[in-house]
Amino acid sequence: MKIQKVEIKDDCAEVNAKNAMLDNSSFSNVSMRNVIISDANLSDLKIDGAQIGGALIKNIGMPDGDHPNYDPDLKHRPVRFELCDFKTSLFIECDLSQVRLENCNIAGLTINGIAIDQLLANSKK
């Protein structure tokens, strides 16, 4: 594959990239509504100042044993969320083992129907 630099300025209706390496790319002041990213390595991705209402993020992590890129020796590196508003969001069938919440507002947070703020308040009594 020939490596080239592409610069897009002003309006661009649609970009389709397949089998592409976009390492070290940056996007600023862009609208990327309805973007689909699949089968991608997004390691060290940084998203800052974005609106992601209605976003669906799924199948995130290392490939499972059936995937051609599966490597049992590789471990998923931690993901970090800072200054995010996840009010009324839903996490379904996510592995949250060893997750830490620090300085977070947990009012109304429930896990499998159990109100965590009330559980913590009761445990302090």
Side-chain angles (χ1 to χ4, degrees), residues 3-122:
I3 298 175
Q4 62 184 9
K5 182 176 181 177
V6 176
E7 188 168 332
I8 300 170
K9 293 183 180 180
D10 302 320
D11 290 338
C12 181
E14 187 175 304
V15 174
N16 291 299
K18 293 182 180 172
N19 299 321
M21 183 181 298
L22 299 175
D23 293 358
N24 302 308
S25 295
S26 65
F27 302 90
S28 179
N29 195 27
V30 296
S31 172
M32 297 179 80
R33 296 179 313 114
N34 300 314
V35 169
I36 297 172
I37 300 172
S38 61
D39 298 323
N41 179 349
L42 298 176
S43 298
D44 302 309
L45 171 73
K46 293 176 183 68
I47 300 173
D48 184 12
Q51 291 73 45
I52 62 169
L56 171 61
I57 301 170
K58 75 185 231 185
N59 296 321
I60 304 300
M62 300 303 287
D64 62 20
D66 297 337
H67 195 279
N69 291 332
Y70 174 72
D71 182 344
D73 295 327
L74 292 178
K75 301 297 178 210
H76 182 68
R77 294 187 299 153
V79 176
R80 182 172 161 165
F81 296 93
E82 287 186 23
L83 303 170
C84 296
D85 183 349
F86 289 133
K87 280 193 264 332
T88 70
S89 295
L90 178 62
F91 294 80
I92 301 173
E93 295 186 32
C94 297
D95 182 350
L96 301 176
S97 56
Q98 300 184 28
V99 168
R100 297 184 336 253
L101 300 179
E102 297 180 6
N103 301 317
C104 295
N105 180 352
I106 61 164
L109 173 67
T110 63
I111 298 176
N112 296 331
I114 299 169
I116 301 306
D117 52 351
Q118 293 174 1
L119 184 67
L120 290 173
N122 291 339

